[in-house]
Amino acid sequence: MRIFFLYFNVVILLLCSIRQGDALVRRYKFKLQDASYSRLCSNKTILTINGQFPGPTIYARKGDLVIVDVYNRANHNITIHWHGVKMPRYPWADGPEYVTQCPITPGTGFRQNVVLSDEEGTLWWHAHSEWSRATVYGALVILPKKTDQYPFPKPHAEVPILLGDWWKSDVQEVMEEFLLTGGDPNVSDAFLINGQPGDLYPCSRQDTFKLKVEYGKTYLVRLINAVMNNIMFFKIANHNITVVGSDASYTKPINSDYITISPGQTIDFLLHANQKPSHYYMASRVYASAGFYDNTTTTGIIEYVGNYNTPPTPLLPTFFQFNDTSASVNFTRQLRSLANKKYPVDVPLNVTNILFFTLSINTRSCPNDSCAGPNGDRFLASVNNVTLVLPKTDILQAYYNRISGIYETDFPDNPPFPYNYTQQFVPQLLWTPENGTDVNVLEYDSVVELVFQGTNTVSGVDHPMHLHGYSFYVVGSGLGNFNKSTDPLNYNLVDPPLMETIAVPINGWTAIRFRANNPGVWFMHCHFERHVSWGMGMTFIVKDGKGPNEKMLPPPPDMPKC
Ligand code: C2O
Ligand code: CU
């Protein structure tokens, strides 16, 4: 035990000593526990951190080390992921179950070093095992270094706003049921703003998030989409907002009267309280390009302080159609990096690895057409026609300890067979994927261009793709099939946004670039929970480099065991 502790401290010291300047170590305690919450007229027991829903907000400054002691006091396995934190050379505490770790079982704990580096702005943390992130999530606010400032006028106050959803039934049961039947999961019963549905639902008048503002002041809102299965539109009645950041990276200011936000993504914006003092709704509802969805609207209220006649009901913003793809992509396409002297871009130009990944919904037949998907088949999903099957021992451990038989290294750089990906009817012959636990191996420092191609197999839909361990530049996107001779001519290599989650439009494509300079095992997946459950994910192994600072750090002593 003593040796373990010594070793452990050495690792912490190591981690601390490679950090410079005014970086601090901050500590948090996360207790996974059941708690009872009442929403929409009924009580429910949910998994929480420290009994809070949404969970506690972590505050840090750029470059800090955050040490979170996670204890499992519930009766459900858990892992916690720090969404958007690159964890340089330290995938051990990244969190995805069976990719970088085995679950933290009831009665045990795991001390997780959350290694911040160049992230600045808003990120979040969430459970990364089965569907437990439905209630286990919270904000991660990364302020500039003490000696530094925002690249915009200092706001009067800051407020995190987390979009979430609520099922009246137990989320674990929702998950088990759809995996058993092979059909679509039940849609949620409500969306939430900071854990509360707002007053457009039955029995929810009390459960409304309220934000008090003073006329003439500006507020920094840190918007996080923690919804399980939907891209969301967000609007505030009568108010335009100024977007200043996304995914913990600053953007050129964008004035807009709405926001589109993918699950996983964060948007920082300035709210100028410059309207007639009154009450105004902020509201959010789904952008859905296909399929079933919860068509309800969640609201919160912005209340100006002062004396005025309170309206009987606040003004509600008007929304687009649920399936308005142009409204959705037009917002996202405006995002640009600051790309100035203080916040330069570093878009990799000399690409060494060109990857082309198709994203598909698939089906597989069931005995006697007994499943609840199309034609009695089971829904699946894939990347390059490989449906991810998670192993029983995590991939990181297998890689580090050279355990064979856990994964294969043949995840393809290109789809196994080309076809017209976005044609109106993809022949049914092409609907069935292969199962696999396949990784794509990248040499240290390779320069990757990855084009995601959404397909119309079974049914086209948007896919918010998320990469662990990295941010990437989104250099291009379009509708239809990617054309490799003409589309790259229109790439933005000047000021593309730096993101870690990007929605690939329905039957369209998105091109990203990153330099593989973070050795480790990094999950990449669709952030729609139903899609990743159906297998839309894959793993990169980025090899160690030659230099002393180009190798993975050793694991902590208390890694959960399988
Ligand atoms: Cu926000 Cu792999 O997750
Ligand atoms: Cu998806």
Side-chain angles (χ1 to χ4, degrees):
M1 202 57 187
R2 168 140 320 150
I3 294 182
F4 266 174
F5 266 110
L6 260 176
Y7 173 70
F8 194 54
N9 286 333
V10 170
V11 171
I12 300 252
L13 274 175
L14 258 173
L15 280 169
C16 296
S17 63
I18 57 168
R19 331 181 54 71
Q20 338 133 326
D22 53 336
L24 271 181
V25 176
R26 298 171 195 264
R27 289 169 191 277
Y28 284 83
K29 276 199 169 55
F30 271 27
K31 247 180 252 159
L32 182 78
Q33 58 190 75
D34 283 336
S36 173
Y37 274 81
S38 164
R39 296 284 182 272
L40 311 176
C41 309
S42 63
N43 264 334
K44 210 179 102 181
T45 300
I46 58 170
L47 278 176
T48 66
I49 296 296
N50 303 346
Q52 290 169 247
F53 177 67
T57 301
I58 292 181
Y59 289 94
R61 287 188 186 276
K62 181 177 179 175
D64 286 352
L65 172 65
V66 184
I67 302 177
V68 186
D69 281 308
V70 181
Y71 303 98
N72 188 344
R73 296 276 156 78
N75 55 14
H76 194 273
N77 285 352
I78 199 85
T79 67
I80 307 285
H81 167 54
W82 320 95
H83 180 114
V85 179
K86 298 183 186 77
M87 311 287 280
R89 305 159 58 206
Y90 195 73
W92 302 104
D94 188 44
E97 187 178 43
Y98 299 120
V99 178
T100 62
Q101 72 169 90
C102 295
I104 305 167
T105 52
T108 67
F110 182 29
R111 169 169 287 185
Q112 293 184 250
N113 293 322
V114 184
V115 189
L116 300 177
S117 53
D118 58 0
E119 306 89 354
E120 182 172 321
T122 307
L123 294 172
W124 58 304
W125 55 266
H126 61 79
H128 212 303
S129 45
E130 299 191 321
W131 275 37
S132 39
R133 82 167 175 87
T135 58
V136 178
Y137 63 85
L140 166 51
V141 172
I142 307 164
L143 302 167
K145 283 188 188 272
K146 245 201 172 122
T147 49
D148 204 358
Q149 278 153 19
Y150 294 125
F152 44 84
K154 191 173 188 291
H156 175 66
E158 306 191 0
V159 48
I161 292 187
L162 296 100
L163 305 178
D165 36 22
W166 187 262
W167 276 264
K168 287 185 186 164
S169 48
D170 186 272
V171 182
Q172 183 69 17
E173 281 163 24
V174 173
M175 183 198 76
E176 281 166 13
E177 196 214 316
F178 96 104
L179 291 179
L180 187 75
T181 64
D184 262 312
N186 287 340
V187 298
S188 53
D189 297 292
F191 290 107
L192 309 172
I193 290 179
N194 286 346
Q196 316 212 63
D199 50 14
L200 301 186
Y201 294 91
C203 278
S204 61
R205 199 154 258 284
Q206 301 311 311
D207 304 326
T208 302
F209 170 70
K210 294 189 174 141
L211 175 63
K212 288 217 174 1
V213 299
E214 285 175 51
Y215 179 84
K217 302 250 152 98
T218 296
Y219 297 79
L220 173 58
V221 178
R222 302 171 178 279
L223 183 68
I224 298 165
N225 186 353
V227 165
M228 295 288 275
N229 287 310
N230 297 103
I231 298 172
M232 303 296 286
F233 286 131
F234 178 90
K235 264 188 140 179
I236 301 173
N238 280 31
H239 291 72
N240 279 357
I241 51 102
T242 308
V243 174
V244 292
S246 179
D247 290 4
S249 178
Y250 295 116
T251 62
K252 293 202 168 85
I254 303 164
N255 289 313
S256 181
D257 62 354
Y258 74 102
I259 285 170
T260 314
I261 186 166
S262 292
Q265 195 188 355
T266 72
I267 296 274
D268 285 1
F269 68 86
L270 300 175
L271 166 64
H272 315 282
N274 57 8
Q275 295 300 300
K276 186 168 141 263
S278 185
H279 288 188
Y280 299 91
Y281 273 128
M282 61 176 97
S284 183
R285 64 178 206 170
V286 161
Y287 157 64
S289 53
F292 302 102
Y293 51 88
D294 173 345
N295 65 3
T296 63
T297 303
T298 179
T299 52
I301 302 175
I302 294 181
E303 297 184 356
Y304 281 70
V305 295
N307 290 320
Y308 52 87
N309 291 328
T310 306
T313 54
L315 207 65
L316 195 66
T318 52
F319 275 97
F320 307 103
Q321 294 297 312
F322 287 108
N323 63 358
D324 192 337
T325 298
S326 7
S328 171
V329 300
N330 285 347
F331 175 82
T332 308
R333 281 200 187 138
Q334 292 178 68
L335 297 171
R336 295 270 185 282
S337 283
L338 278 177
N340 58 24
K341 216 165 179 192
K342 186 170 172 201
Y343 302 92
V345 289
D346 179 22
V347 189
L349 298 178
N350 302 314
V351 173
T352 59
N353 297 44
I354 297 191
L355 307 177
F356 186 76
F357 287 5
T358 52
L359 309 172
S360 300
I361 303 298
N362 305 93
T363 56
R364 181 173 295 143
S365 60
C366 295
N368 310 317
D369 296 340
S370 56
C371 285
N375 313 317
D377 292 351
R378 161 178 299 281
F379 273 123
L380 291 170
S382 64
V383 182
N384 273 352
N385 212 46
V386 183
T387 289
L388 171 69
V389 179
L390 286 173
K392 299 275 180 293
T393 300
D394 62 279
I395 296 174
L396 175 57
Q397 193 185 151
Y399 168 59
Y400 193 73
N401 296 322
R402 301 198 165 81
I403 306 170
S404 63
I406 305 294
Y407 64 87
E408 289 177 78
T409 56
D410 58 353
F411 188 90
D413 289 359
N414 290 287
F417 46 89
Y419 57 100
N420 177 358
Y421 306 111
T422 56
Q423 65 194 294
Q424 204 180 352
F425 300 103
V426 174
Q428 217 164 317
L429 216 66
L430 306 177
W431 286 15
T432 310
E434 307 265 338
N435 282 353
T437 309
D438 302 341
V439 309
N440 190 283
V441 180
L442 297 170
E443 294 298 326
Y444 181 85
D445 230 18
S446 33
V447 175
V448 180
E449 174 171 309
L450 167 50
V451 177
F452 296 109
Q453 175 69 62
T455 80
N456 203 25
T457 306
V458 183
S459 147
V461 61
D462 298 67
H463 299 289
M465 297 305 292
H466 171 50
L467 173 60
H468 289 220
Y470 290 87
S471 286
F472 45 74
Y473 288 102
V474 181
V475 295
S477 74
L479 298 176
N481 293 335
F482 175 71
N483 180 324
K484 70 173 192 259
S485 43
T486 55
D487 284 325
L489 301 175
N490 297 318
Y491 282 170
N492 174 5
L493 303 175
V494 176
D495 60 355
L498 186 62
M499 323 271 293
E500 30 75 359
T501 306
I502 185 68
V504 179
I506 176 170
N507 292 326
W509 58 272
T510 298
I512 66 169
R513 283 195 188 175
F514 63 96
R515 180 180 290 278
N517 55 7
N518 186 12
V521 170
W522 305 111
F523 197 26
M524 189 176 76
H525 60 94
C526 180
H527 220 284
F528 283 161
E529 219 50 45
R530 66 183 192 283
H531 290 180
V532 69
S533 294
W534 286 338
M536 190 177 285
M538 57 77 67
T539 302
F540 285 110
I541 288 183
V542 177
K543 293 214 253 173
D544 281 350
K546 298 222 166 57
N549 295 325
E550 299 174 351
K551 297 187 193 315
M552 264 171 59
L553 293 167
D558 59 343
M559 278 308 291
K561 302 239 156 21
C562 280

